[in-house]
Amino acid sequence: MSKYSIEEFIKKTKQDDNENDYFELETPRILEVNLTDQVWAKAGSMISYNGQIKFEREGILEHGVGRMFKKALTGEGTSLMKAEGSGRLYLADQGKKITILHLDDESITVNGNDLLAFEPGIEWDIKLMKKIAGMMSGGLFNVTLKGTGRVAITSHYEPLTLLVTPYDPVITDPHATVAWSGILEPEFQTDISFKTFLGRGSGESIQMKFSGEGFVIVQPFEEIYTNGNSS
């Protein structure tokens, strides 16, 4: 049989029926959710499913007025959908690489654009970085997740994790910052001298400074935000 035959292609790319964890990486860029109850996922990330699954956008009163008010400020980029039922659900986000993290009574803060899905038992809250809302197009929002369960995040290409220690703070470009450990609180600083080198004629270079103990995940790509969405 030719290595380029349809049969050979199917054999190499078909779903793996032996995998039945709640979250599975079907490929590095496609997440399989073996749904038995419900899951939160980025709106528009469903690419396929089978079984009895229904989808609905996050309800206005789902998490109280305060959180919805923050959501309105940050634009459609924060939109989440809830999938309920049983079956196999496949999620993806513009071909970005997917990483699954298991939180064990821990917390992590994820750039809103890089959050793909999380188990329903995990608490979450949207945070708008108000200090830089006027400096960056569309501002910058993040989702803090805490509890026990799995979270799927995305990155353009392979992510890099940088360790933060009390003696060695880490400074990152907000556009390339994917997530950080929940106990860290980034400060924002500007560097006017950098703007010439970065080719950004208007405004200063905005940087995130992480101090303390924890980690920061970055990607080799700068996402551009417009009204809360990446372009």
Side-chain angles (χ1 to χ4, degrees):
M1 182 170 61
S2 167
K3 66 179 180 179
Y4 299 117
S5 68
I6 290 176
E7 289 87 350
E8 189 66 18
F9 175 77
I10 291 172
K11 190 168 81 172
K12 286 181 179 177
T13 60
K14 72 176 181 178
Q15 66 192 54
D16 188 345
D17 292 329
N18 296 320
E19 297 178 340
N20 54 14
D21 267 1
Y22 188 77
F23 280 5
E24 292 279 3
L25 280 182
E26 195 65 12
T27 78
R29 300 169 195 279
I30 297 175
L31 177 72
E32 175 186 290
V33 182
N34 289 288
L35 196 61
T36 55
D37 46 14
Q38 70 176 47
V39 67
W40 285 101
K42 186 174 185 176
S45 62
M46 185 277 289
I47 59 170
S48 178
Y49 73 91
N50 59 30
Q52 300 299 312
I53 300 175
K54 67 173 186 175
F55 303 88
E56 58 183 72
R57 283 244 176 176
E58 175 197 359
I60 288 181
L61 300 177
E62 186 85 48
H63 296 285
V65 176
R67 192 173 301 184
M68 282 304 299
F69 178 67
K70 283 189 286 187
K71 178 172 183 279
L73 287 175
T74 59
E76 283 299 302
T78 58
S79 293
L80 294 170
M81 66 180 182
K82 184 165 57 175
E84 292 185 292
S86 62
R88 274 202 180 101
L89 171 62
Y90 295 95
L91 304 174
D93 185 13
Q94 300 178 36
K96 292 164 69 177
K97 185 178 174 65
I98 300 167
T99 300
I100 299 172
L101 301 172
H102 182 82
L103 301 187
D104 185 8
D105 195 23
E106 296 165 299
S107 65
I108 189 171
T109 299
V110 184
N111 181 306
N113 202 52
D114 301 320
L115 178 62
L116 181 63
F118 56 93
E119 291 193 57
I122 289 179
E123 295 179 41
W124 60 279
D125 194 15
I126 293 169
K127 292 185 177 180
L128 175 65
M129 296 295 190
K130 295 176 184 174
K131 288 182 182 177
I132 63 165
M135 301 182 195
M136 293 173 66
S137 175
L140 186 71
F141 65 89
N142 301 289
V143 183
T144 298
L145 306 118
K146 61 182 179 179
T148 298
R150 293 188 183 182
V151 175
I153 64 175
T154 60
S155 61
H156 289 276
Y157 313 105
E158 283 66 34
L160 172 68
T161 300
L162 305 167
L163 298 181
V164 181
T165 70
Y167 310 102
D168 196 11
V170 169
I171 296 169
T172 66
D173 182 331
H175 295 275
T177 305
V178 174
W180 58 89
S181 46
I183 56 171
L184 294 179
E185 287 283 346
E187 299 173 56
F188 289 91
Q189 60 186 33
T190 57
D191 190 334
I192 297 173
S193 65
F194 261 33
K195 69 176 182 181
T196 315
F197 299 105
L198 293 176
R200 296 189 184 124
S202 58
E204 305 94 352
S205 162
I206 306 156
Q207 301 160 349
M208 297 174 82
K209 182 178 181 179
F210 295 88
S211 304
E213 193 91 42
F215 63 85
V216 183
I217 302 170
V218 294
Q219 61 185 358
F221 185 92
E222 290 190 15
E223 297 197 59
I224 305 302
Y225 307 102
T226 306
N227 298 325
N229 288 313
S230 74
S231 59

